[in-house]
């Protein structure tokens, strides 16, 4: 908040009152209503200030010819900076004017300011600030009288784009918005603005290179009131967004892109894409990451792939991906949702579903640190289906569900060539396989994970169904689980566990070697 106060006539009786006080997080004035976190519809701002007319004196010693208080009109929404002024009256009589200002940003930061006859407010950059101003005069005896008050909003750097009321020659302000997103993006880059508000359905043409903390906020009506329906942003032929040098946040948008090649988003080194309350419907690749970050919260992604080979919906190298409270859906001939090399992957309270004609896989990971919690994965395909294919990655999987349906289905395929200090845990999760020929819950090469409190269910009619399938290769024999690493699990309708060495009719020998004390694995009857 930029602040400038100028004192007119010093009065000794007023010396106990500070001329300037900043009290962050101070209490609101009595009767104040906390400002809404989102901008609301307001009247057009008046060009002139508010002037308080001289009133009859109600306190002895206060001049009846009161000064005039000049400030933005009640309910104004202005860019700023703004000058608040108390002009001298006919006869000041030694009276001292002062102003009390309360401010609160949409992020909740509060300030209280006390100044003299002139005060300049510039607002917080990249923050909308609600302002309440009260003007007074005080005589030498401490008698105080109100000159007026007003409430207005400072919005120094937001760019507004409206498909309904915007114009080509608009200045991007709330009162004179631009008409196209392309123009809004260009203005935001030129001004260094980090927030763009959108009203009405938009189109994006060509490639937009964005970053530097930019946020696009949709779902606003023609008067900038919050709308329950998200606006639609259509990517035209070959349109895409390249994220570089900072974070790009999209909020309250529906994105559509059809029949175009290449990814919707390219996230380059140092770039971060954050989707909040976004729905995306598109063909082909969703995102390509290279040492960047992708954060998806409360959003949905639906993709159709007509490719003749397996192409990833999201492809990532040495990047960070975090998904929470979201859903991903994929349809096509050959499907792969996420292909990731290096970096970290976190999935919480989210669902992934793939329906493919030939083959379908949800996750393909190599050298990734992954953690899943309350996640649900489902894939259905004609020939082959798998949920997780992993090499040299570490996992913590809790309270999640894996389900695959195909002629041949492998829920999880793990290959870890060497021991690692990173965790390798499957906890309290459900693994369900339905197939007509080959069915494997966990296919393992190399080191074995710890599996505890999980349910393994087979619902197909094939004869080759196996819970833990140990794959041996030339010069590298299959590795058995460590003693005490497999306990508290239930197995339903599978025929084999680690080949034919441990019969599934009793599990006595298996539990004696691999189950921790008091945590035997059990055979569970199929549900009818």
């Amino acid at each position: 908040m930029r602040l400038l106060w100028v004192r007119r006539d010093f009065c000794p009786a007023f010396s106990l009152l500070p001329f300037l006080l900043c009290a962050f997080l101070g209490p609101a004035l009595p009767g104040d209503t906390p400002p809404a976190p989102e901008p609301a519809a307001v009247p057009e701002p008046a060009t002139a200030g508010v002037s308080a007319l001289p009133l009859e004196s109600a306190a002895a010693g206060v001049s009846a010819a009161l000064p005039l208080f000049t400030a933005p009109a009640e309910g104004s929404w202005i860019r700023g900076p703004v000058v608040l002024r108390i002009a001298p009256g006919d006869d000041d009589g030694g009276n001292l004017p002062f102003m009390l200002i309360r401010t609160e940003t949409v992020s909740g930061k509060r300030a209280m300011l006390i100044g003299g006859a002139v005060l300049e407010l510039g607002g917080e950059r990249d923050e909308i600030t609600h302002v309440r101003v009260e003007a007074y005069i005080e005589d030498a005896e401490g008698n105080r009288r109100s000159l007026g008050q007003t409430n207005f909003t400072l919005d120094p750097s937001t760019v507004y784009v409206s498909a309904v009321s915007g114009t080509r020659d608009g200045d991007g302000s709330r009162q004179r918005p631009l008409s196209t997103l392309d123009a809004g993006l260009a203005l935001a880059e030129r001004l260094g603005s980090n927030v763009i508000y959108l009203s009405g359905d938009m189109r994006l043409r060509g490639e937009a290179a964005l970053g530097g903390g930019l946020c696009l906020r949709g779902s606003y009506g023609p008067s900038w009131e919050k709308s329950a329906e998200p606006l639609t942003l259509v990517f035209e032929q070959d349109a895409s967004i390249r994220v570089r040098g900072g974070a790009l946040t999209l909020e309250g948008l529906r994105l559509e892109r059809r029949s175009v090649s290449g990814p919707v988003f390219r996230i380059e080194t140092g770039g971060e894409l954050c989707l909040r309350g976004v729905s995306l419907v598109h063909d082909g690749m969703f995102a390509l990451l290279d040492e960047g970050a992708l954060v998806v919260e409360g959003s949905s992604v639906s993709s159709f792939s007509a490719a003749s080979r397996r192409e990833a919906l999201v492809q990532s190298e040495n990047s960070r991906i975090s998904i929470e409270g979201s859903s991903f859906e994929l349809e096509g001939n050959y499907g792969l949702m996420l292909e990731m090399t290096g970096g970290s992957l976190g999935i919480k309270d989210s669902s992934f579903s793939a329906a493919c004609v030939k083959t379908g896989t949800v996750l393909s990971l190599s050298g990734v640190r992954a953690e899943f919690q309350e996640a649900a994965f489902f894939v259905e395909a004609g020939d082959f289906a798998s949920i997780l294919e992993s090499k040299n990655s570490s996992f913590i999987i809790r309270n999640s569900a894996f389900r695959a349906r195909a002629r041949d289905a492998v829920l999880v395929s793990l290959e870890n060539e060497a021991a690692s200090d990173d965790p390798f845990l499957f906890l309290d999760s459900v693994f369900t396989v339905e197939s007509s020929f080959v069915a494997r819950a966990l296919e393992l090469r190399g080191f074995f994970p710890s599996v505890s409190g999980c349910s393994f269910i087979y619902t197909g009619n094939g004869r080759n169904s196996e819970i833990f399938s140990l794959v041996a290769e030339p010069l590298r024999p299959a590795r058995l689980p460590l003693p005490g690493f497999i306990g508290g699990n239930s197995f339903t309708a599978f025929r084999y566990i680690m080949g034919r060495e441990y019969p599934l009719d009793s599990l006595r020998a298996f539990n004696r070697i691999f189950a921790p004390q008091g945590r035997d694995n059990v055979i569970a009857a199929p549900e009818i």
Side-chain angles (χ1 to χ4, degrees):
M1 180 73 66
R2 288 188 301 155
L3 208 39
L4 172 67
W5 66 269
V6 178
R7 183 183 61 183
R8 289 183 64 248
D9 297 316
F10 179 78
C11 177
F14 195 66
S15 61
L16 295 178
L17 180 66
F19 287 105
L20 178 63
L21 172 65
C22 294
F24 289 97
L25 301 178
L29 288 174
D32 277 359
T33 300
E38 297 288 349
V42 297
E44 291 289 333
T47 55
V50 174
S51 298
L53 297 177
L55 303 174
E56 293 183 4
S57 176
V62 177
S63 172
L66 295 176
L68 297 180
F69 169 47
T70 305
E74 179 72 21
S76 297
W77 198 286
I78 59 177
R79 284 198 178 279
V82 61
V83 176
L84 309 173
R85 190 183 305 275
I86 302 177
D90 296 340
D91 181 12
D92 280 350
N95 298 325
L96 185 67
F98 69 95
M99 288 176 279
L100 176 64
I101 301 98
R102 300 273 190 179
T103 68
E104 183 171 358
T105 66
V106 293
S107 63
K109 185 166 58 176
R110 295 179 177 178
M112 183 180 72
L113 317 170
I114 298 178
V118 180
L119 193 73
E120 180 181 343
L121 296 176
E124 297 259 359
R125 179 163 182 80
D126 302 325
E127 280 262 38
I128 294 174
T129 304
H130 302 278
V131 182
R132 176 184 173 92
V133 182
E134 299 177 2
Y136 300 93
I137 57 170
E138 185 172 307
D139 65 13
E141 297 179 359
N143 298 303
R144 185 181 301 177
R145 186 160 188 179
S146 173
L147 299 176
Q149 66 183 31
T150 185
N151 296 272
F152 60 92
T153 300
L154 285 172
D155 189 4
S157 59
T158 304
V159 172
Y160 291 86
V161 180
S162 174
V164 178
S165 60
T167 61
R168 289 185 177 182
D169 58 353
D171 61 7
S173 65
R174 189 181 179 91
Q175 292 74 37
R176 297 182 59 215
L178 295 164
S179 58
T180 67
L181 178 56
D182 301 83
L185 293 172
L187 178 62
E189 182 177 8
R190 189 163 63 248
L191 299 180
S193 300
N194 287 342
V195 180
I196 299 177
Y197 279 83
L198 304 175
S199 175
D201 293 345
M202 302 280 170
R203 292 184 175 273
L204 182 66
R205 301 170 177 85
E207 182 186 76
L210 307 176
L214 181 63
C215 178
L216 303 184
R217 291 177 177 166
S219 301
Y220 291 95
S223 298
W224 302 109
E225 73 279 8
K226 192 69 175 175
S227 173
E229 295 296 325
L231 69 85
T232 299
L233 174 58
V234 177
F235 288 70
E236 294 198 346
Q237 186 70 26
D238 296 328
S240 63
I241 293 179
R242 184 183 299 269
V243 185
R244 58 175 63 165
L248 169 65
T249 301
L250 305 182
E251 297 180 358
L253 299 172
R254 173 181 168 85
L255 310 179
E256 291 185 0
R257 196 179 82 152
R258 300 289 189 182
S259 302
V260 289
S261 60
V264 181
F265 297 98
R266 295 180 183 270
I267 308 171
E268 299 179 341
T269 303
E272 176 177 322
L273 173 64
C274 181
L275 304 181
R276 293 195 179 102
V278 170
S279 63
L280 171 64
V281 179
H282 72 107
D283 296 339
M285 182 178 289
F286 161 49
L288 179 63
L289 294 88
D290 185 5
E291 297 186 352
L294 173 64
V295 179
V296 183
E297 299 174 351
S299 299
S300 63
V301 177
S302 298
S303 176
F304 178 78
S305 175
S308 58
R309 59 187 179 87
R310 194 171 80 162
E311 293 182 338
L313 176 63
V314 178
Q315 186 174 337
S316 168
E317 290 192 12
N318 301 317
S319 299
R320 174 177 60 88
I321 297 179
S322 174
I323 301 171
E324 183 172 351
S326 300
S327 64
F328 283 70
E329 296 181 356
L330 173 65
E331 294 183 7
N333 294 324
Y334 300 86
L336 172 59
M337 281 197 171
L338 173 59
E339 184 176 25
M340 195 171 183
T341 302
S344 63
L345 171 63
I347 299 175
K348 182 178 180 181
D349 189 25
S350 297
S351 63
F352 295 77
S353 177
C356 304
V357 177
K358 298 293 186 180
T359 67
T361 299
V362 178
L363 305 172
S364 177
L365 311 180
S366 178
V368 175
R369 299 181 307 277
E371 183 170 355
F372 307 156
Q373 183 173 346
E374 297 179 356
F377 306 91
F378 172 70
V379 59
E380 182 177 18
D383 297 334
F384 175 79
S386 65
I387 301 294
L388 171 61
E389 300 174 358
S390 170
K391 182 177 181 180
N392 296 328
S393 298
S394 63
F395 291 93
I396 299 178
I397 298 177
R398 293 189 179 94
N399 300 311
S400 296
F402 296 70
R403 185 183 176 200
R405 179 189 300 143
R407 184 196 64 196
D408 298 332
V410 178
L411 287 177
V412 178
S413 177
L414 303 177
E415 180 179 354
N416 275 29
E417 298 175 351
S420 172
D421 293 332
D422 293 327
F424 206 24
L425 308 173
F426 288 69
L427 307 173
D428 304 314
S429 298
V430 179
F431 300 82
T432 305
V433 189
E434 180 179 343
S435 71
S436 58
F437 190 60
V438 174
R440 293 174 179 172
L442 269 67
E443 183 180 81
L444 300 125
R445 296 172 176 83
F447 286 87
F448 208 102
S450 175
V451 184
S452 176
C454 295
S455 298
F456 295 85
I457 304 168
Y458 179 62
T459 61
N461 54 15
R463 295 185 177 183
N464 189 10
S465 59
E466 190 171 8
I467 300 171
F468 304 129
S469 177
L470 305 183
V471 179
E473 297 180 351
L475 305 179
R476 190 171 66 177
R479 296 176 184 265
L480 295 176
L482 294 176
F485 265 46
I486 312 295
N489 305 290
S490 66
F491 307 134
T492 302
F494 281 89
R495 295 177 66 90
Y496 306 113
I497 180 170
M498 293 193 297
R500 293 172 171 78
E501 185 172 353
Y502 300 96
L504 269 174
D505 55 357
S506 69
L507 287 181
R508 184 177 303 171
F510 182 86
N511 285 329
R512 186 172 58 249
I513 299 175
F514 301 114
Q517 186 174 2
R519 293 276 293 168
D520 280 357
N521 304 282
V522 299
I523 302 294
E527 294 184 1
I528 300 177

